[in-house]
Amino acid sequence: MAMRTILIVDDDDEIRASLADALSSSQTRVDMVPNADEALKRLAQNRPDLILSDVRMPGMSGIELLARVSKDYGGIPVLLMTAFDDLATVTTGMREGAAEFLVKPLDLEHLRTVVRRVFEDSALRTAESETVAEYSGPVSRSDLGRIDLIGHHPSMVAIFKTIGQVAATRASVVIRGESGTGKELIARAIHAASPWASEPFVAVNCTALPASLLESELFGHRKGAFTGASADRRGRFSLAGRGSLFLDEIGDTSPDFQSKLLRVLQERSYYPVGADRAETTEARVLTATHRDLEAMVGDGRFREDLYYRLRVVEIRVPPLRERRSDLRDLAANLARKAAHHVSRGLPTISEEALDALERHSWPGNVRELENCLTRAVVMAPGGVIRAEHLA
């Protein structure tokens, strides 16, 4: 086996040394530099087989380095690592083509497994001479930064990675999870990270409309199509343009509507109610549900062909009780939002209140937590939220 070279880029001397010790072997040579500028100089002299880079460093960031490597040294896999595993950082890194995103503190055994897998994938691509075309347009980190999707639990970091991987495609995505887990926020994040972020994001709650009106709402109608249709009206597919149409609670729709939606996804065209000419759509369809779609397919309540059309990619959102390590960060953020909405000063959450929040099971998930903290902000006149202020 030929000698392989890994270039480690990190401004922390101890971390560089620790990583070098973990990855060095008789088949692997490790080179180290303290920043991205030095990494680019080293790349101009010797091309490594893999780059392992921190994200936040003085000067050029790891994500900027990734973009430069992708542009000038295409084919070198880049692993990014950071302690700041927020939505924008992880999504942008994966969107820019990172081979993997690792969260500090690193599990060295896991790191070795990831490196081994990346080397195996690189060897396979070389053997098969595959060429993969990737979209190179910008990702709007500012749009992502405005989305309150918070989480450092591994399940949430995995979701951020998936968002980054799927955003540049037009693939349909089903987002699964209990009510109140933030499924629409994930849909908005996919849209914001996509090349079509400047196009509209249009959301429809399928349970909020009776079946008789849902078709008109989505496809539009012509004047006189039914009683009360006093003028032509554009539907949500038309309003979405080349952007995203988010259908929340798709599992609650009727079989008749499911048939019509399937036709739209297959043919990319539809008839507004009362129209004799079809209209086309380029909107990407994102859906969400708390239902067990597989069981519904099994007993005939959901079309199997539609299920597979919608479920090109699936994202499962964990309930809040399964990611309690995120609760304190979520509570602080939601309390800040609540204070802004009710015109109160920035609140402080006492340790006793945080303990009480952590003991609760949160059947209503993040939505219940938001409601609880909004009430607490209103009921805490001194600006300090205590346990007695929590419903």
Side-chain angles (χ1 to χ4, degrees), residues 338-378:
H340 174 74
H341 289 317
V342 301
S343 301
R344 288 284 177 88
L346 189 66
T348 298
I349 308 177
S350 69
E351 192 63 30
E352 61 171 337
L354 288 170
D355 289 342
L357 293 175
E358 289 180 332
R359 287 194 301 270
H360 187 57
S361 61
W362 301 110
N365 294 296
V366 179
R367 187 180 296 131
E368 181 188 0
L369 177 63
E370 181 175 25
N371 177 272
C372 174
L373 287 166
T374 300
R375 177 189 183 279
V377 167
V378 172

Side-chain angles (χ1 to χ4, degrees), residues 36 42 62 99 106 141 165 184 191 219 255 316 354 370 372:
R42 199 66 58 92
L106 300 184
R141 285 177 57 84
Q165 291 168 318
E184 182 172 339
H191 177 77
F219 305 143
R316 289 186 178 266
L354 288 170
E370 181 175 25
C372 174

Side-chain angles (χ1 to χ4, degrees), residues 66-197:
L66 168 62
R68 289 284 298 275
V69 171
S70 298
K71 177 184 176 183
D72 299 332
Y73 303 92
I76 302 177
V78 179
L79 305 180
L80 292 178
M81 52 184 177
T82 186
F84 304 94
D85 49 345
D86 58 278
L87 169 68
T89 300
V90 177
T91 300
T92 304
M94 298 304 292
R95 178 63 185 77
E96 290 287 349
E100 183 56 275
F101 211 107
L102 303 166
V103 178
K104 293 181 177 179
L106 300 184
D107 179 328
L108 295 181
E109 188 56 41
H110 175 64
L111 172 62
R112 283 189 282 264
T113 300
V114 170
V115 168
R116 185 165 56 249
R117 188 193 71 220
V118 170
F119 280 143
E120 290 171 354
D121 290 348
S122 296
L124 182 61
R125 283 195 297 270
T126 300
E128 296 181 355
S129 300
E130 292 180 350
T131 301
V132 180
E134 296 181 354
Y135 170 78
S136 58
V139 175
S140 176
R141 285 177 57 84
S142 59
D143 287 344
L144 284 170
R146 287 195 290 269
I147 296 174
D148 277 330
L149 193 55
I150 292 174
H152 304 287
H153 188 274
S155 62
M156 293 304 296
V157 175
I159 288 173
F160 298 164
K161 291 179 183 178
T162 302
I163 291 171
Q165 291 168 318
V166 76
T169 74
R170 302 293 286 183
S172 299
V173 181
V174 170
I175 305 166
R176 309 278 291 272
E178 296 177 6
S179 295
T181 50
K183 297 186 291 293
E184 182 172 339
L185 286 179
I186 290 172
R188 289 183 179 277
I190 293 171
H191 177 77
S194 77
W196 306 278

Side-chain angles (χ1 to χ4, degrees), residues 221-235:
H221 61 249
R222 294 291 178 260
K223 180 180 178 180
F226 50 83
T227 302
S230 57
D232 289 355
R233 183 183 180 190
R234 294 173 64 194

Side-chain angles (χ1 to χ4, degrees), residues 2-16:
M3 176 68 73
R4 299 168 301 195
T5 304
I6 299 175
L7 177 61
I8 296 175
V9 189
D10 197 299
D11 59 320
D12 189 299
D13 296 342
E14 291 186 5
I15 290 178
R16 286 200 310 274

